[in-house]
Amino acid sequence: MVIENQTFRNETIEIDGIAFSMCTFENCTLVFRGGKPPGIMGCRFNDCFWSFGGPAANTMSFLTGLARGGMQSVVENTFANIMTGKGGERIGPRDIH
C-alpha cells in the first residue's frame, strides 16, 4: 500500500508494510510492530512520537536489557552500524570494548 500527499493529525498510525510519500504527520504516534518495514520518502514530522509493539517492542526490550546489563558497547556498535548502513552485520566479542 502506498499513501501519498496526505496529512495526518492527532492520529495513531500503524506503519508496518505501508509506503508513505510526501506526507505530513502532526502530533501523531507512529507504531511499528516488527512486520515489513515501512517506506518513508519525503515526509515531514511535527511533534510526533514513535512507538514499538510486538516483535519490535521485544527487540527494544532486548537492547535495553543489554545496555543496562553492562553491554552498552554492543548497543552502541549496533546503532553505529545502523547509521552507516551496516545494520545487519554481526557484532561479536571482538567488537565489545
Side-chain angles (χ1 to χ4, degrees):
M1 168 188 260
V2 178
I3 299 175
E4 298 179 287
N5 301 310
Q6 188 166 335
T7 297
F8 299 89
R9 286 187 183 92
N10 305 313
E11 296 183 50
T12 297
I13 303 156
E14 304 267 342
I15 63 173
D16 290 46
I18 301 174
F20 297 94
S21 177
M22 305 304 292
C23 293
T24 300
F25 300 87
E26 297 178 359
N27 194 38
C28 291
T29 299
L30 295 104
V31 181
F32 181 63
R33 297 190 180 280
K36 183 178 178 185
I40 300 174
M41 298 145 290
C43 295
R44 298 175 66 190
F45 301 89
N46 301 310
D47 297 320
C48 292
F49 298 91
W50 296 84
S51 178
F52 300 93
N58 293 341
T59 299
M60 296 300 283
S61 292
F62 175 69
L63 290 169
T64 299
L66 285 175
R68 290 183 179 167
M71 303 288 286
Q72 295 91 340
S73 62
V74 171
V75 176
E76 290 168 0
N77 287 342
T78 298
F79 283 106
N81 285 344
I82 290 168
M83 297 302 291
T84 60
K86 302 175 183 176
E89 288 193 6
R90 183 172 170 242
I91 298 174
R94 70 180 184 287
D95 300 313
I96 299 171
H97 304 19

